[in-house]
Amino acid sequence: MFPQVRMRRLRRTDALRELVAETHWDPGRLVAPLFVVAGRGVKRPITTLPGHHHMSPDAAAEEARALWDLGIRAVLLFGVIPDEEKDDVGSAAFDPQGPVHQALGAIARATPRMVRITDVCLDEYTSHGHCGVFDGREVHNDATLPLLDRVAVSHAEAGADIVAPSDMMDGRVAHIRAALDSAGFSSVAILAYAAKFASAFYGPFRAAAGSTPAVGDRCGYQEDPRNAREALREVDLDVAEGADLVMVKPAMPYLDIIRRVRERTLLPLVAYQVSGEYAMLESAIAAGLIDGDRARRESLDAIFRAGADLVITYLCRWAAQGGAAR
Ligand code: PBG
């Protein structure tokens, strides 16, 4: 007890604090989301995600190359298409000429070692904006599974290393695993959005991806923010179905879930610091209310401290350009 015990002894200098720091991370632990559109030479700012762009496949490949040179080792691709190309079942999601498929090829040519992850979901491609087959009242689980298989296999054919289903249909991990294996893609990994909550924090993303549901919400398939045990069941099921990595999303409001999943599984654990978390940080920083570098760093420190191995974040460029350095 005090005065023999003095916690401040190990906090006296930067070097001492560094020596006893319990959490370490670097840009190699971060995954960069990229929003891909059709065309060539397109790089348009996304108003809801300051610092991010809608990019054509060639521009996405250039961005991936720049990120690689800065130490980022993985990208997560989302496709964005015009409303008139959308249909009831989101068939543009498995069009081999689609922006994600083209970007996979372009990134592979420009930066072959970059790990290419794709979001497997229909919401950016359906006219109603839901993540599956929708009858105007509900999203049909089992009818959606074969469509997800087609998306995943089409991404594998175009060169994805990891496919990440984000739809929250039951049974989709096993379904996609079987589809990949029978199409000859047994070495393509599955990152399951295992504990994905029905969150208000996806707002800026949905504006960026044009994927806000036209009617209703996603509460019938995404998880209730009040439930932790349910999230663990989702993770258990995805692990049993053959997921290679599991995700918790969003990150900061769900640090307890990250911790509990960490203690429960031996799989690599990915956390997604989503668009609304980024927007909150950046707007408070822009308003001069909090210090930018410290707040961004602390947000990532907290997610890694909770137990994440990897973090998907809109802060990749900032971190890799020296922001992460203390
Ligand atoms: C679904 C998907 C969403 C996000 C990633 N994949 C949106 C949703 O579920 O409504 C959100 C990511 C973010 O907010 O940064 N394809």
Side-chain angles (χ1 to χ4, degrees):
M1 289 305 262
F2 179 83
Q4 289 78 24
V5 176
R6 287 182 184 270
M7 298 302 287
R8 291 182 55 191
R9 280 184 198 121
L10 297 179
R11 295 180 193 148
R12 278 176 45 238
T13 66
D14 282 349
L16 270 170
R17 289 191 289 273
E18 195 54 44
L19 203 64
V20 299
E22 297 175 30
T23 303
H24 299 275
W25 56 272
D26 58 55
R29 308 262 68 82
L30 306 179
V31 178
L34 301 181
F35 295 86
V36 193
V37 296
R40 266 199 77 77
V42 181
K43 192 172 178 185
R44 276 194 310 268
I46 300 175
T47 46
T48 56
L49 286 168
H52 291 267
H53 300 84
H54 284 127
M55 289 176 287
S56 50
D58 58 316
E62 228 172 86
E63 175 70 5
R65 164 138 227 131
L67 289 167
W68 177 271
D69 291 342
L70 289 167
I72 303 290
R73 294 293 172 257
V75 291
L76 170 61
L77 304 182
F78 294 99
V80 183
I81 63 168
D83 284 347
E84 53 280 12
E85 287 172 25
K86 298 179 181 181
D87 64 19
D88 260 15
V89 293
S91 32
F94 42 82
D95 174 0
Q97 301 306 319
V100 165
H101 303 77
Q102 298 298 306
L104 284 166
I107 294 169
R109 287 187 295 276
T111 319
R113 289 193 295 156
M114 178 65 94
V115 175
R116 298 174 299 274
I117 311 174
T118 57
D119 187 81
V120 171
C121 200
L122 300 174
D123 61 320
E124 292 103 13
Y125 305 93
T126 50
S127 39
H128 43 72
H130 278 287
C131 299
V133 176
F134 183 60
D135 64 7
R137 290 187 35 224
E138 70 171 299
V139 170
H140 290 276
N141 194 88
D142 300 11
T144 303
L145 298 177
L147 295 168
L148 296 171
D149 292 349
R150 289 184 70 174
V151 180
V153 169
S154 74
H155 288 173
E157 280 165 350
D161 297 300
I162 302 177
V163 292
S166 68
D167 51 283
M168 294 305 284
M169 297 304 115
D170 287 320
R172 91 272 208 220
V173 172
H175 221 270
I176 290 172
R177 183 72 272 158
L180 287 170
D181 289 353
S182 58
F185 295 107
S186 57
S187 55
V188 170
I190 298 177
L191 161 58
Y193 281 73
K196 176 172 177 176
F197 290 89
S199 174
F201 291 97
Y202 307 147
F205 171 97
R206 289 186 190 169
S211 69
T212 308
V215 262
D217 55 37
R218 303 214 205 287
C219 294
Y221 39 107
Q222 298 181 348
E223 286 171 55
D224 188 322
R226 296 171 292 189
N227 295 351
R229 294 193 307 263
E230 185 190 349
L232 299 181
R233 288 187 72 202
E234 282 281 5
V235 171
D236 286 354
L237 288 166
D238 285 357
V239 172
E241 287 182 31
D244 299 284
L245 315 90
V246 287
M247 190 196 300
V248 173
K249 172 191 177 182
M252 275 235 283
Y254 297 92
L255 294 177
D256 58 321
I257 309 292
I258 296 175
R259 166 55 50 192
R260 291 176 71 177
V261 173
R262 172 68 299 152
E263 284 164 1
R264 201 173 175 90
T265 175
L266 299 176
L267 265 56
L269 172 55
V270 183
Y272 196 147
Q273 184 181 44
V274 300
S275 57
E277 300 179 65
Y278 176 71
M280 276 203 303
L281 272 171
E282 294 305 318
S283 27
I285 294 164
L289 298 172
I290 55 177
D291 178 81
D293 280 346
R294 288 187 54 206
R296 294 185 189 105
R297 208 187 292 136
E298 189 175 330
S299 73
L300 290 168
D301 285 341
I303 298 165
F304 282 109
R305 189 197 63 233
D309 296 305
L310 299 170
V311 180
I312 303 167
T313 174
Y314 300 95
L315 293 172
C316 281
R317 244 191 196 274
W318 161 82
Q321 284 173 328
R326 260 152 247 276

